[in-house]
Amino acid sequence: MASSFAPSFLHLHLLFLICAVSLSPTSAAYSESRSSSNKVRVELYYETLCPDSYQFIVNDLIKLFETGIISVADLKLYPYGNARVGSNSTITCQHGPSECLLNTVEACAIEIWPALNDHFPFIYCVESLVYEHKYPQWESCYEKLGLDSKPIAECYSSGLGKELELQYAAETSALQPPHQYVPWVVVDGQPLYEDYENFLSYVCNAYNGTTALEACSKISLNTRKISKSTHSLGCEGNMPAVLGRIGSTIKSWIRQMNLAIWM
């Protein structure tokens, strides 16, 4: 699953990939002439300091750009994850204040630079630094990418960033079925559960446009059956759901034991 290239160089590689896709005459993601109805909607619900989240962004989500499949995908990011809204609309993040800061910064980036090819390189750069355990250096991404830091600083200090996070909180809470952990990947409205690393296959299966994608022909389209059970994840957020799964497992085991006794 691990990427074959060092994350410290990925922001430059990503910029090249995005530019190549956006300038391509066959690009659907950045062409105004293409109907958005043909795009496959890909939604990522995540939190910035969750190991499963930043590893997915750095090692897996990048493949949307590497393969060119981004040309038929509509990628939307929700940097909120397992945070909680308390009294007076205070937000508490699973991995502490630093995660709240970076969640808000990335929400501001999406708001200030709404085009994917504008905000994703910045988010990717930040998450690459998190991946390298250098997230206190996140502001270096402005210089690396030639971006003006003022709009993000103003978004954060004015309270707009918090408003955006409260909006993401509402959208995350409204998920049906509810998210159980992060990263929570949804393709055309269907959550992928623990098979999220195989998301490219689901995108290729869901695509019904006329543009033939060589990348999809190289990907196994025999996607595994989506399962509602989960593997061990470090960023689970819905404890009732977790306890429910544990309870179901225990009840199943008891039934099996009872059957074994009477056989």
Side-chain angles (χ1 to χ4, degrees), residues 165-181:
E165 278 296 284
L166 291 173
Q167 177 182 329
Y168 284 134
E171 291 174 321
T172 302
S173 297
L175 279 169
Q176 291 298 330
H179 88 287
Q180 299 170 8
Y181 48 81

Side-chain angles (χ1 to χ4, degrees), residues 111-123:
E111 177 73 11
I112 300 300
W113 305 308
L116 180 66
N117 56 331
D118 290 331
H119 66 251
F120 190 72
F122 176 78
I123 290 174

Side-chain angles (χ1 to χ4, degrees), residues 201-241:
S201 293
Y202 291 94
V203 174
C204 287
N205 268 344
Y207 175 61
N208 59 9
T210 58
T211 302
L213 293 178
E214 182 180 355
C216 282
S217 66
K218 297 179 180 179
I219 294 175
S220 173
L221 299 184
N222 295 320
T223 53
R224 291 171 290 187
K225 182 180 179 181
I226 297 177
S227 170
K228 294 186 179 182
S229 63
T230 64
H231 55 62
S232 177
L233 292 167
C235 301
E236 295 201 58
N238 190 339
M239 287 309 297

Side-chain angles (χ1 to χ4, degrees), residues 3 5 14 28 40 49 52 72 82 105-106 124 127 131 142 146-147 152 156 161 188 192 201 212 216 242-243 253:
S3 176
F5 38 83
L14 178 64
V40 179
L49 295 188
D52 293 293
V72 298
N82 297 325
V105 164
E106 294 188 9
Y124 191 81
E127 294 304 307
Y131 184 99
Y142 294 126
L147 298 172
I152 301 295
Y156 184 87
D188 271 359
L192 304 189
S201 293
C216 282
V242 175
L243 295 175
W253 177 78

Side-chain angles (χ1 to χ4, degrees), residues 19 28 35-36 59 82 87 89 109 121 127 131 148 151 165 174 190 196 198 224 228 239:
C19 289
S35 171
S36 61
N59 292 330
N82 297 325
S87 59
S89 297
E127 294 304 307
Y131 184 99
D148 183 1
E165 278 296 284
Q190 176 64 61
Y196 62 84
N198 194 35
R224 291 171 290 187
K228 294 186 179 182
M239 287 309 297

Side-chain angles (χ1 to χ4, degrees), residues 36-45 64 72-78 168 171 185-192 199 202-203 206-207:
S36 61
S37 62
N38 287 334
K39 296 179 186 177
V40 179
R41 186 172 179 83
V42 180
E43 297 168 290
L44 171 61
Y45 296 82
L64 262 179
V72 298
D74 180 14
L75 175 62
K76 194 165 173 53
L77 306 174
Y78 298 82
Y168 284 134
E171 291 174 321
V185 182
V186 180
V187 174
D188 271 359
Q190 176 64 61
L192 304 189
F199 78 105
Y202 291 94
V203 174
Y207 175 61

